[in-house]
Amino acid sequence: MAEEKAKSIDNASLKMIEKAAKDGVNTAFDRAEAMKPCPIGMVGSCCKNCSMGPCRVPLPKSLEETPEDKRKRRGVCGATAETIAARNFIRMIAGGAAAHSDHGRGVAELFLAVAKGEASGYELKDEQKLLQVALDWGIEIGDRSNNEIAVDIGEKALSEFGKQEGEIDFLRRAPLKRQELWRQQGVAPRGIDREIVEIMHRTHMGVDQDYKNLLQQGVRASLADGWGGSMIATELQDILFGTPAPVLSKVNLGVIKKDEVNIIIHGHEPLLSEMIVAVSQDPEMIELAKSSGAKGINLAGICCTANEILIRHGVPLAGNFLQQELALVTGAVDAMVVDVQCIMQSLPDIAQCYHTKIITTSPKAKIPGAVHVEFDEHNAVESARAIVKTAIEAFPKRGSNIDIPKETTDLVAGFSHETINYLLGGIFRASYRPLNDNIINGRIRGVAGVVGCNNPRVTHDDIHVTMIKELIKNDVLVVQTGCSAMAAAKAGLLTPEAAKYAGKGLAEVCETVGIPPVLHMGSCVDNSRILMAVTAMVKEGGLGDDISDLPVAGAAPEWMSEKAISIGQYVVASGIYTVFGVNWPTLGSKEVTDFLFKDMEDMYGGMWAFEPDPIRAAHLMIAHIDKKRKALGIDKARERVLYDMDMRRELDAV
Ligand code: NFS
């Protein structure tokens, strides 16, 4: 039992891990124990890009390696440890940027179909954002209809992927100084697809063998993700499905209901899940569920599809990445619908122990053993109905081996960049001024983005929660996306009451505005909302003239996915200090690691760091925030605030 405790800090998960063992079900927690990571691959020193290898280049025998020894540490083709680590690193960026951007492309295709009236069941929900994007992209508004404008936006969005020359257009949303810096560094991206293809070309055997040049291409592709593919996904999803606003909901496996048809939506793209939300409320479907003995239809989500339907509809979260298998172990999930990304191949196997139907929906992501119901955007309602019916048919086949943990926690989510603007400034004066003012006067020390995955190599949720609590205790406002936000939600940090964990200054601001000290901004593609928020802070004034001047920092303390590396890299290249936990994939080369951890600060004003201990990592972030406060000349303001409080305490004591 003591050993199981270390697997998660979440009781519901621990109970299901225990039940899985009883049921003979193997989960990622077990597999992580059985399969130790390869020590050479883990530090980025294994190259398998051709059939002369795989070549494993070991770490130097001593720190004082002679040039002669160093020459011997090469792959068969002559590639050095630097080249190999840099190649591996930017191939991770290519994978991550491709995943986010292909998601963005899928949204753009649906968007265009909706604009042309070819995708029934969808509509353009956010007119204001439609017009904003049209303005940003120089698309004529005049007296044209929304659909006419949207056709141009959809075509323009799709053309951003294959643009052969020039720069992607959303780059112009960044502060001017940042745009200039990217141009000077030669990393302002052309089309998104082009930059990803170029990574694959340059990392092919015998092409780019200068690690700095390789890493710069990684930066360029990552910027095409953050300010391109991901931003397109976020913006067009908002226009189609609505820009998120604060919404109350619940998190954890306890949201699964014993007497209803439970459908878990898992993956990343909200295109189909939006329709499933609508169809599951259809009286005809509810009747059908009742006729099979259920009281109704209950939807819940896992991973970022969950975040998408949470922030727009308040659909509860069943859990984060490491809870996908555990949800099935309850024995009460009738169907798990998956689209793309972060879906474990073990799901159909586990489902066999229960009665659950695993339904794949994307032609890009099929799993042997799953039922495939392909999502057809031109006929989305029909696809959604077929899926909901499959779940209803599974309900009467439930076995008796059911155990649903009781745990649920309340949360507030849906803090889009636009909402923060409105909440802080109020309806008559929507603005970031109050945030900037509270940073300048020191009540808020700075802002930290804590994002990313779970990883069974570390205690589930523990690293996120410990880091976030330490940050807010030190008056750092935390903004979140992805599975990290779900970890915080389970710990009760996404409610205004969580202000009790915050330092005095931050708590005061939260209580005045009525917001939690930890703001859930959405899915991982929605890290683009964080880019917009920091840009708004720069434009508001008083905190320097570039993102790298702001007292802000980022972290992905339990990361595992290539997407996390792509996100981290565009955040760093946008000027933000970013700390990762778990392990670091370039430790096999000191030069590559130094370039990412040190040189990038001179080049971009932001750099990577690696620190698996959450408290130490939080203090690295706080130290960076304080360094920026000092450079801005606002460190004194904070000292004075603290001094005043001490004075007051002293007076009270007298
Ligand atoms: Ni992000 Fe979202 Fe979670 Fe990690 Fe996977 S769901 S896109 S990659 S595991 S945070």
Side-chain angles (χ1 to χ4, degrees), residues 268 303-304 321 342 452-453 482-483 524 560-561 563:
H268 283 76
C303 284
C304 282
F321 174 68
C342 301
C453 325
C483 291
C524 288
M560 61 86 199
S561 140
K563 290 178 284 177

Side-chain angles (χ1 to χ4, degrees), residues 119-122 271-272 275-276 278-279 282 285 375-388:
S120 64
Y122 296 102
L271 312 182
L272 172 62
M275 223 29 110
I276 295 178
V279 165
D282 179 345
M285 283 292 156
F375 167 52
D376 171 9
E377 65 198 32
H378 299 289
N379 222 337
V381 179
E382 279 321 301
S383 308
R385 288 174 79 90
I387 287 164
V388 174

